[in-house]
Amino acid sequence: EAAVTQSPRNKVAVTGGKVTLSCNQTNNHNNMYWYRQDTGHGLRLIHYSYGAGSTEKGDIPDGYKASRPSQENFSLILELATPSQTSVYFCASGEPGLGEDTQYFGPGTRLLVL
Amino acid sequence: GDSVTQTEGPVTVSESESLIINCTYSATSIAYPNLFWYVRYPGEGLQLLLKVITAGQKGSSRGFEATYNKETTSFHLQKASVQESDSAVYYCALGESNYNVLYFGSGTKLTVEP
């Protein structure tokens, strides 16, 4: 059973619209992450979280907000979507320290902003 | 900064041929980076293929191997005989034992032809 799930899996949005990408994990991990992946780039970190109520900026946070209302859920919010945010978005969970440093990824959300 | 550079794709090989995907890293802020190979099969999220946390050690999984070479700052992925089912995108990444983030390479798309 998938431990990290994302919804929606595909999304078409209009420029200026609001988009919310959701992620749920059943790993009971403290850390969660949002990445985007574009051709020619590795996964680039947008926001991450150490636990419920916490959000931290990653390498490319501009134009994105994040929300971690619970241990299980971590959302990525595009308040005013732009075509440059067309990408594939991956959520991950992890439990750094204690020798467990692997991240577990969701299947990705493909976002197209027209 | 910390970064990873890997073989640009796409890479196409025939079944039963050998494979090497190059990965070199730069770890300026991480004294003892951990090194990872992740794989994304079509329609799935990223999953850990193998990891090595000690310089000089070799990791292996599903017939793939990678050796952590601190002298050459490399972590090349090799397989002696690939199969069609190995067709996927492979990502090299680095992090630290108590990491907060992983740094990913741009990914190498591998296609194995029958």
Side-chain angles (χ1 to χ4, degrees):
Chain A
E1 190 170 329
V4 181
T5 56
Q6 296 181 228
S7 64
R9 293 293 310 278
N10 293 279
K11 174 74 178 178
V12 179
V14 296
T15 297
K18 181 177 181 179
V19 177
T20 300
L21 306 182
S22 300
C23 177
N24 178 276
Q25 57 110 351
T26 58
N27 296 318
N28 198 32
H29 287 157
N30 283 316
N31 285 24
M32 295 186 74
Y33 309 82
W34 274 108
Y35 297 88
R36 62 178 284 177
Q37 206 267 314
D38 303 288
T39 303
H41 292 277
L43 276 75
R44 293 182 289 173
L45 184 65
I46 306 170
H47 285 288
Y48 60 103
S49 168
Y50 295 124
S54 137
T55 61
E56 305 291 334
K57 293 180 179 179
D59 296 326
I60 53 165
D62 293 345
Y64 302 93
K65 289 172 55 179
S67 173
R68 183 86 182 270
S70 65
Q71 178 84 339
E72 297 79 19
N73 295 294
F74 190 39
S75 298
L76 185 69
I77 303 153
L78 290 67
E79 294 279 5
L80 295 169
T82 68
S84 65
Q85 293 175 312
T86 293
S87 187
V88 181
Y89 292 84
F90 289 97
C91 176
S93 73
E95 193 63 52
L98 302 178
E100 176 54 70
D101 55 1
T102 302
Q103 288 187 15
Y104 298 85
F105 285 81
T109 294
R110 192 173 295 272
L111 173 65
L112 173 62
V113 182
L114 300 174
Chain B
D2 303 306
S3 64
V4 175
T5 303
Q6 63 181 97
T7 299
E8 280 195 33
V11 173
T12 302
V13 296
S14 298
E15 200 166 30
S16 78
E17 286 188 348
S18 63
L19 170 74
I20 181 166
I21 299 176
N22 291 327
C23 172
T24 57
Y25 66 88
S26 171
T28 57
S29 66
I30 304 172
Y32 301 100
N34 297 339
L35 300 176
F36 305 80
W37 278 101
Y38 279 82
V39 58
R40 179 159 65 99
Y41 297 104
E44 299 181 17
L46 279 80
Q47 56 186 276
L48 180 69
L49 178 61
L50 57 87
K51 71 176 183 182
V52 180
I53 64 173
T54 304
Q57 298 295 310
K58 179 169 67 178
S60 61
S61 174
R62 307 180 203 174
F64 288 90
E65 296 181 339
T67 299
Y68 185 159
N69 189 320
K70 193 171 183 180
E71 286 69 37
T72 60
T73 63
S74 65
F75 192 54
H76 306 320
L77 183 68
Q78 302 183 70
K79 188 169 186 180
S81 177
V82 296
Q83 302 171 329
E84 261 191 277
S85 57
D86 294 325
S87 295
V89 182
Y90 292 82
Y91 297 88
C92 186
L94 70 86
E96 63 175 336
S97 296
N98 294 305
Y99 79 96
N100 291 318
V101 299
L102 288 176
Y103 298 92
F104 285 87
S106 58
T108 302
K109 183 176 182 180
L110 171 67
T111 300
V112 180
E113 294 181 330

